[in-house]
Amino acid sequence: MTHTPTEGWHSGMDHLDHGPALLDEVEAFLRRFVVFPADAAATATALWAAHTHMMDAFDSTPRLAFLSPEPGSGKTRALEILETLVPNPMLAVNATPAALFRAIADTERKPTVLFDEIDTVFGPKAKDNEELRGLINAGHRRSGVSYRCVGDGSSQTVAAFPSYAAIGLGGLGELPDTVLTRSVIVRMRRRAPHERVEPYRARLNEPQGHALRERLTAWASAVADSVRERFPAMPEGVSDRPADVWEPLLMVADAAGGPWPGKARSACVELVAASADPRRVSLGVRLLADTRAVFRHQGADKLPTQALLGALADLEDAPWAELGGKGLDSRGLSRLLKDYTTAHGEAIKSRTVRMPDGSTPKGYHAADLADAWSRYLPPPDDNPAPAESPPMASQGAGSEGVPVADRSATPALSATQNTPLTWGVSAVADVADLPEAGPVAVESGACWSCGDRFRRFEASDYPDMCTPCATSLRTTA
């Protein structure tokens, strides 16, 4: 049986150099009873436990979410071990929002909330719990408060309850997106036959966890001032909300020193990437990704609405064929795309597409979608070679001789990539010249005047004519 050494530690000692060894012992204590899905998860959990002892040093606190698809995956055990390590633990399986508001507002003895079975609060069979969701979200920031009416009858007044508190969560399934984006997510799984852990015995093991808690309190007190002054360097590709979530944990790791700054950043990159489940992007972003895949695969610069819908429906692993029970139609496509804008700030909408046979159906232009693609999607990771003669949109997606993207582009998405708002798009005419964008022309097709095929990489006043015919028309005009 492994025991936690406590010699040489008491609440008043200034052990600045003991951080790495202490965090090693905290992580080892957690691993004795919990099988984590990866080393990164154990590292993050140890850092989270340490950060709860110096909450005043941070501007925000991440939620730690243990989630799994099935029971018996170690979520409750992880929270039980954390209960021995964190200050003022408060188990909140059946706590009401009102009780949590008042407990967290107690600045003299602020609790570390450990909320198990959170799926009963936010799961598919649970009722709306907007009050609790608001509390969890608001308490992510030090400045977060929740406003409630207090008093009786006509004498009620509005009171601001401080909401800033460390919260650990455990549950089946998923959490609301607003909670997930504020969380370090650990996706637990059932222990495999070859994986072994010690049985947890409260009478024996609780005192060991409490001894570690005392040491964490002493170490946190010694380093808190230096932690407040730290602005940790983020790993490449981690920004925005993931950076907010991980900043306190990296600050703890930097204060500890030794191997922990490197371990923490490796864990950050791994868990942020794992939490960016491409299946959880919004339906609009998924549509943008799949429309880009269709346009790029066909080498087309414009597609009639029905051809685009057909190509989307044919994508493997995509929802468009069965969306709403009957599949995505032109009205649904328009409704999803109108929330995004062109490079000129206008809503994306269908417009006339002139076809070689003289027909003019409604459709969508790659030039209109390019700005939204660049803002909401990572740069494409491949550059498919164009067909020798790019198929015209009038042939229809899926018709003989016309390639159709066979798989949804969504699995290639990663919300962790640090993609700038634009990656070189200075004008609509520049889109096709970008190496990342592939050889997609802004204007191409068969000239309606002479019938010759053309490809043009800049916008013109005559998008349906080849350059010689356009020049001739302009001269005679």
Side-chain angles (χ1 to χ4, degrees), residues 16 27 100 125 154 160 165 305 311 407:
L16 293 173
E27 182 177 351
L100 287 174
K125 296 182 180 180
S154 60
T305 298
R407 184 176 296 273

Side-chain angles (χ1 to χ4, degrees), residues 287 294 303-315 320-321 327-334 364 397:
L287 180 59
V294 169
L303 286 170
T305 298
Q306 293 307 314
L308 179 57
L309 287 170
L312 289 171
D314 288 339
L315 290 177
W320 313 119
L328 184 66
D329 57 17
S330 58
R331 182 174 298 179
L333 180 65
S334 174
Y364 291 87

Side-chain angles (χ1 to χ4, degrees), residues 72-399:
S73 302
K75 303 179 299 298
T76 298
R77 177 70 74 226
L79 292 176
E80 286 177 344
I81 306 305
L82 283 172
E83 184 186 6
T84 71
L85 298 171
V86 301
N88 305 323
M90 177 183 180
L91 291 178
V93 176
N94 294 313
T96 65
L100 287 174
F101 283 132
R102 284 163 174 77
I104 292 174
D106 183 359
T107 56
E108 296 298 320
R109 190 175 171 80
K110 186 175 290 292
T112 301
V113 180
L114 302 174
F115 211 128
D116 199 7
E117 299 181 12
I118 195 69
D119 50 287
T120 63
V121 176
F122 295 124
K125 296 182 180 180
K127 297 179 180 179
D128 292 336
N129 282 283
E130 293 305 316
E131 280 194 323
L132 186 56
R133 186 202 307 242
L135 174 65
I136 293 174
N137 291 344
H140 168 64
R141 293 282 187 186
R142 173 197 289 277
S143 58
V145 296
S146 299
Y147 294 97
R148 290 295 179 272
C149 291
V150 296
D152 298 320
S154 60
S155 62
Q156 288 188 357
T157 59
V158 176
F161 290 87
S163 301
Y164 181 59
I167 301 179
L169 306 166
L172 299 174
E174 294 293 340
L175 296 174
D177 288 343
T178 55
V179 177
L180 284 177
T181 58
R182 292 167 170 83
S183 301
V184 173
I185 303 170
V186 179
R187 300 197 177 276
M188 304 293 283
R189 55 193 182 186
R190 284 187 178 175
R191 184 159 50 92
H194 68 277
E195 295 173 324
R196 295 286 186 267
V197 292
E198 293 182 29
Y200 179 71
R201 300 289 183 263
R203 285 179 296 172
L204 175 64
N205 303 127
E206 259 190 13
Q208 298 169 5
H210 292 167
L212 280 172
R213 178 165 64 196
E214 292 177 6
R215 294 168 59 184
L216 283 169
T217 301
W219 178 72
S221 178
V223 302
D225 289 340
S226 65
V227 169
R228 289 188 183 93
E229 300 172 358
R230 295 179 184 272
F231 294 92
M234 286 291 154
E236 184 176 355
V238 178
S239 63
D240 301 326
R241 183 56 62 78
D244 290 342
V245 167
W246 274 87
E247 182 177 89
L249 305 189
L250 298 185
M251 291 167 73
V252 171
D254 289 348
W260 278 88
K263 285 181 60 174
R265 284 164 176 80
S266 296
C268 171
V269 171
E270 182 175 337
L271 292 183
V272 167
S275 68
D277 184 351
R279 294 168 298 180
R280 293 190 58 79
V281 299
S282 70
L283 198 62
V285 169
R286 180 159 194 168
L287 180 59
L288 288 175
D290 287 349
T291 54
R292 185 175 71 175
V294 169
F295 273 95
R296 281 170 53 79
H297 193 83
Q298 294 197 24
D301 64 301
K302 53 192 173 185
L303 286 170
T305 298
Q306 293 307 314
L308 179 57
L309 287 170
L312 289 171
D314 288 339
L315 290 177
E316 184 181 348
D317 299 327
W320 313 119
E322 300 176 355
L323 190 68
K326 60 180 182 179
L328 184 66
D329 57 17
S330 58
R331 182 174 298 179
L333 180 65
S334 174
R335 185 170 61 252
L336 285 171
L337 288 178
K338 70 179 179 61
D339 292 333
Y340 304 94
T341 61
T342 69
H344 302 294
E346 301 171 349
I348 295 173
K349 58 184 179 181
S350 63
R351 54 191 178 98
T352 299
V353 175
R354 185 180 295 277
M355 309 310 299
D357 60 3
S359 62
T360 55
K362 290 289 186 178
Y364 291 87
H365 292 241
D368 293 341
L369 292 155
D371 188 66
W373 289 340
S374 72
R375 292 178 184 273
Y376 295 97
L377 306 178
D381 56 7
D382 62 336
N383 291 305
E388 291 184 11
S389 297
M392 288 304 299
S394 60
Q395 293 177 267
S399 61

